[in-house]
Amino acid sequence: MSLKPKSWKRVHAVREAQVKLAIGAAAAAQRNEATLVNNAERLKRLRDNAFDAGHCANGASLHAQLELAQRLIRADGEINVALGRARQHLAQAERQRTAAYIDRETTSKLLGRAIAAADETAERKAARLPLKRKYPKEAEE
């Protein structure tokens, strides 16, 4: 803790920037996860409708319908894997955001202590200075 208040202010500014970056990264990860959840729900609805073969007039259209259903099932598996990765990324971003908040708060406390110590040192130095004495002009002559 030998840093001066000016140095701690620079460190605090860096920590503040890190918090803002961490908030942005967490928000982006949350948007990505929400988008994947929305896409998974849309894909599920589409997949559920793909097995309805009531409108197929011949074997070729039934085959195409089943092919589409199989592709949608594979896509559902892939989107679930992507969703798992997105949730892991979101959890990591949240941990980094929390760590950035903790670092910023710690730096704020240390900055406050450094300012208080600098003020105290300045007061002690000022107390040690001799007082200026004004002599009357008569005593000088």
Side-chain angles (χ1 to χ4, degrees):
M1 283 195 256
S2 62
L3 291 178
K4 296 180 181 179
K6 196 173 189 179
S7 298
W8 278 116
K9 286 179 184 177
R10 284 194 301 270
V11 171
H12 189 265
V14 168
R15 297 290 188 235
E16 191 68 38
Q18 288 174 337
V19 165
K20 289 177 183 177
L21 289 172
I23 289 171
Q30 196 169 23
R31 280 192 306 273
N32 187 26
E33 191 251 351
T35 300
L36 284 172
V37 166
N38 185 30
N39 288 345
E41 290 171 0
R42 289 173 51 208
L43 186 63
K44 184 181 181 304
R45 285 193 302 267
L46 187 60
R47 187 193 67 220
D48 290 344
N49 292 334
F51 285 104
D52 182 22
H55 62 279
C56 294
N58 57 23
S61 63
L62 179 62
H63 178 71
Q65 184 84 17
L66 290 176
E67 177 73 23
L68 174 64
Q70 289 173 348
R71 287 183 182 191
L72 289 172
I73 289 171
R74 281 192 300 257
D76 186 47
E78 291 172 5
I79 204 164
N80 285 333
V81 170
L83 188 57
R85 286 185 190 143
R87 287 184 174 144
Q88 288 175 351
H89 183 69
L90 176 60
Q92 177 65 23
E94 288 294 327
R95 285 190 296 272
Q96 288 176 348
R97 184 182 58 82
T98 302
Y101 275 127
I102 291 169
D103 287 346
R104 183 185 64 182
E105 292 304 313
T106 302
T107 304
S108 294
K109 289 178 184 177
L110 292 173
L111 173 62
R113 288 180 189 168
I115 289 172
D119 289 345
E120 184 180 317
T121 303
E123 287 174 9
R124 273 190 269 134
K125 284 182 181 179
R128 281 187 273 168
L129 291 175
L131 295 175
K132 288 187 177 179
R133 295 184 183 170
K134 294 185 179 180
Y135 295 103
K137 287 187 177 181
E138 300 162 358
E140 291 178 5
E141 295 176 5

